[in-house]
Every structure is written in structure tokens, then in C-alpha cells.
Amino acid sequence: MRILFFLSLLFIFVFIPASVLATTISPIIIEAQLDPGQAKTYKIQLYNETKEDIFLNGSIEKFVPKGENGEAQILPFDISDKAVNWLKLPNNSLILKADEEISVSVIIDVPKTADVGGYYLAIMWESSAGPKSIKNSQTLVSSRVGALVLLEVMGEVNSNLEIVNFDLKTPQNFYNGLPIDFLLRLRNYGNIHLRPQGSIIIKNFLGQTVEALPLNDKQGAILPNTTRIFETVWGLNGQQNLFSILANQLTHFTIGRFSAQALVTYDNKSLDSNIIYFWVMPWPILVLILILLVIIIVLTKILKKKKKK
């Protein structure tokens, strides 16, 4: 199973705030599927964006989800975490010259005794100024940059996803128009990361489907024993002032009672959420139409009176 898990990376600053030793890394995600006893070498690119030489020291750490929105938290090295020892950096200390880009090897060596399931690690590089840079400046800032490793040890895995809840982001019975936000909270009870997909099906009062909104179109993953929220918007999203509301309601005129249900698929399995109901009453555009009708009627009467005279 290919997993894409787009996460923001961690930068930690120390010393006196000044010029940052900027290093970029690519790719920021390494997806690996290996059997127990298998080893494979991967490549990452490191680039020095500055005009100074930089020392880089590499280390292998672990990461866990932070909150329910797909963010990552890097944890300090823990020798009790066996999976940390499965990743090896043949060259974990190097000098990156100004504007230089180099390729670095990363070896993932899974032992034969490894349990089937998902393992989540980070390859972190901490930068510090080279000798010439230190002579030129005493206020350079150290930083850390890294790549996340989503490792799946192949075998008979347990994939088990459940819907915790599905609801409107701001639950209310009546809305004056689009956009309307839906929140779907999913929990992974299995031992591998999952990438759910699916749709939110919106139907009118006649039971006809009026919209099928894609779920998790950014292909985010849910790690084992964690919960993640997916937000989906029906209609345009933007500044909500009177003119934008009127323009949106004219472009996407929607009125009546609607229902919504989330249909989720993962690992050849499917889940159906509860059905929620809500009303859309675009009163701003209705008031505008009413005012226009009144103006037309009044003008018509005035014109008729003028003609009679």
C-alpha cells in the first residue's frame, strides 16, 4: 500500500537569533515497504542555501502524530525503540559547502524477527557553522531539518478503520447559503498507516444527489492507534462579506432541505457514516429578489399612471 503523508517538518533554533543556516532536504517523505530480513538503500538530497559552509550531523529519531490534523512531532532519541536502529547513515557527519547539493545514502535494514506493521521514523540533520563562517560571524543560528520515514514491514497486517463521528463544522439547522463545512473524524485501530478515500454525498429533499465531495483529496495518512480529522467544504470558501455572500448565492443558488453522508473506503473495505440533515435558506438573495420585485411593481404602477394622464 502506497502511503502519502504530507506533514510539516520541524525547525529548532538555538543561540542568538540572526542569520539562519538554511539547509533543504528532498524528499521530505520516504515510503518503504520491506519484508522481514530485507534491506534497501534510499537516497536523499541535501542543499545548502547559504553562502557559508555548513557542518551537518545526522541522527535517526522517531516521530508521532501531534493533534488530529496530520502534524508530526519529533521525539528525542530513545534506545529502547528498536526500529531506530534499523535505519543507518553511512555518512552521518559531513560538510556542505556554499550552494552545494549532495546525495546521501540511507539504509533501511529490517531484521528477520521484526513484527509486521508500521514504523515511523525521522532522519534529522542538525547544522552548525563551518570554521570560516565562525570567524566571520558569531551570530549564526543552528537549525534542524529532516525527512520522515513511513516504513511498513510486510506480512499479515491488521487494517481496521472506524468512523468516530461525522457532522457539520458549525452545526445549525439553517444556513443562509454556501459554503458549508463538514468534519469527518476517523480512528485507525490497526497496526499500519491507512490512507482513506471516499466521498461526501449530498442529496436534496427528493433524494437526488446534487453533489459528491471528494474525501481526503490530499491523500493524508492515519497512523496506527491515532485519530485524524478531515474537513470538506461544499461551495466556495472565502471572505464572508455581504457582496461575496450575494455573489456566491447567485452563482451557486441553493435552497431547501439537504442530507449528507460520508462514504469511506480503505484497503478494499468500506464504511458508511450517519446521515445528517440541514436546511439552506439563502435569505440575502431572497430579500434582494423581493426588493427588486417591489421596485418593479412600483415603477410599473408609476408608468401606468403617467400614461393615463
Side-chain angles (χ1 to χ4, degrees):
M1 181 191 302
R2 292 189 59 80
I3 303 296
L4 292 176
F5 190 18
F6 295 100
L7 303 167
S8 58
L9 298 179
L10 181 67
F11 291 88
I12 303 175
F13 301 103
V14 296
F15 304 135
I16 303 173
S19 161
V20 178
L21 298 172
T23 307
T24 57
I25 189 170
S26 177
I28 60 172
I29 302 290
I30 294 178
E31 304 167 28
Q33 294 178 312
L34 302 177
D35 295 319
Q38 184 181 2
K40 189 174 181 180
T41 300
Y42 297 82
K43 296 287 185 179
I44 57 176
Q45 302 296 123
L46 294 169
Y47 174 62
N48 181 1
E49 294 182 337
T50 73
K51 301 300 180 181
E52 306 286 349
D53 293 352
I54 295 177
F55 280 124
L56 288 176
N57 291 308
S59 62
I60 307 300
E61 300 176 28
K62 182 180 178 180
F63 82 88
V64 294
K66 181 181 180 181
E68 297 182 338
N69 294 309
E71 297 178 348
Q73 178 180 359
I74 309 298
L75 300 181
F77 175 78
D78 186 350
I79 196 171
S80 64
D81 192 339
K82 298 179 181 179
V84 171
N85 298 317
W86 301 352
L87 269 65
K88 297 177 177 62
L89 294 172
N91 187 6
N92 65 349
S93 182
L94 51 91
I95 298 177
L96 199 57
K97 295 181 179 179
D99 293 322
E100 182 182 18
E101 181 177 0
I102 63 173
S103 179
V104 180
S105 297
V106 179
I107 301 173
I108 303 179
D109 188 0
V110 180
K112 293 181 179 180
T113 56
D115 293 330
V116 171
Y119 299 86
Y120 309 99
L121 306 167
I123 306 166
M124 303 301 299
W125 293 92
E126 183 169 3
S127 59
S128 59
K132 293 182 181 179
S133 301
I134 293 175
K135 290 179 181 180
N136 296 332
S137 175
Q138 296 298 323
T139 57
L140 289 172
V141 180
S142 175
S143 67
R144 299 182 80 206
V145 65
L148 303 181
V149 178
L150 280 71
L151 170 63
E152 180 182 345
V153 177
M154 305 294 286
E156 189 173 345
V157 299
N158 173 27
S159 60
N160 184 12
L161 189 68
E162 290 188 10
I163 297 175
V164 178
N165 71 294
F166 171 63
D167 207 343
L168 297 156
K169 185 177 182 179
T170 54
Q172 55 193 69
N173 293 326
F174 293 90
Y175 293 85
N176 61 24
L178 306 183
I180 297 176
D181 290 6
F182 301 92
L183 290 183
L184 175 66
R185 180 178 278 105
L186 300 173
R187 183 163 183 84
N188 182 357
Y189 288 98
N191 63 352
I192 59 169
H193 40 276
L194 297 171
R195 183 187 61 188
Q197 294 181 306
S199 303
I200 294 179
I201 306 299
I202 300 174
K203 297 182 179 181
N204 59 21
F205 68 97
L206 296 175
Q208 301 169 328
T209 299
V210 296
E211 196 74 58
L213 307 173
L215 272 174
N216 191 21
D217 53 355
K218 294 183 179 180
Q219 300 184 356
I222 312 175
L223 270 60
N225 299 311
T226 63
T227 303
R228 185 165 181 180
I229 293 175
F230 297 93
E231 182 175 349
T232 306
V233 181
W234 180 26
L236 300 178
N237 201 0
Q239 295 181 350
Q240 293 300 295
N241 53 49
L242 178 60
F243 295 104
S244 66
I245 290 174
L246 291 175
N248 194 22
Q249 291 180 1
L250 283 170
T251 306
H252 305 275
F253 186 78
T254 305
I255 188 171
R257 184 174 184 262
F258 296 88
S259 67
Q261 184 180 28
L263 308 180
V264 182
T265 59
Y266 72 98
D267 199 21
N268 297 320
K269 301 177 184 179
S270 61
L271 297 171
D272 297 344
S273 76
N274 57 299
I275 301 176
I276 56 177
Y277 298 91
F278 56 95
W279 284 81
V280 178
M281 296 296 295
W283 63 264
I285 196 67
L286 294 177
V287 170
L288 179 61
I289 292 173
L290 181 61
I291 292 173
L292 291 175
L293 288 175
V294 171
I295 292 173
I296 291 172
I297 292 172
V298 171
L299 290 175
T300 302
K301 289 183 177 180
I302 293 174
L303 291 174
K304 284 183 179 179
K305 287 182 180 181
K306 286 184 177 182
K307 285 182 179 181
K308 289 181 179 180
K309 292 180 179 180

